[in-house]
Amino acid sequence: MEFVPRYPQPFSLEEAILFDPAVTSDEIARLQNSMAHLERTQDELKEYLASLASPSEDPEVAQALKENDTTIASQDERIFMLKLALTHHG
């Protein structure tokens, strides 16, 4: 099985296949929880930016939105990798 991630990941698919399935399942749950919090934060940041006269008034919030989008995509990809690894175990 081959998988080439788009984002830097702390492990490869081959390494993930070697993980204990229970640990893999726990990591999937942890990442899903993290993503839920990040998505809620994104909604709050977007509401804040919308309340400003101009989004350029707070460039740090705009940067945080971009960074969170990247983090969410990376974590989503990591969940996909871990689910692929679980399918290897049956």
Side-chain angles (χ1 to χ4, degrees):
M1 192 179 322
E2 185 177 324
F3 177 77
V4 178
R6 291 180 31 199
Y7 300 93
Q9 298 296 338
F11 50 81
S12 67
L13 177 58
E14 293 76 21
E15 291 169 323
I17 289 170
L18 300 175
F19 297 162
D20 179 85
V23 171
T24 301
S25 294
D26 288 347
E27 181 64 5
I28 290 170
R30 185 192 71 78
L31 288 166
Q32 289 171 331
N33 183 54
S34 173
M35 285 178 55
H37 286 286
L38 279 168
E39 289 168 353
R40 187 175 66 240
T41 299
Q42 289 295 82
D43 291 341
E44 292 168 1
L45 291 174
K46 287 174 185 174
E47 283 180 33
Y48 169 74
L49 280 182
S51 74
L52 300 176
S54 168
S56 62
E57 286 182 42
D58 200 334
E60 290 179 11
V61 171
Q63 182 64 30
L65 277 167
K66 289 173 76 174
E67 290 173 5
N68 286 350
D69 281 339
T70 300
T71 300
I72 289 168
S74 175
Q75 288 184 353
D76 190 46
E77 181 179 75
R78 193 170 317 147
I79 289 170
F80 179 75
M81 285 175 56
L82 291 168
K83 286 181 177 181
L84 278 177
L86 282 178
T87 62
H88 183 77
H89 293 282

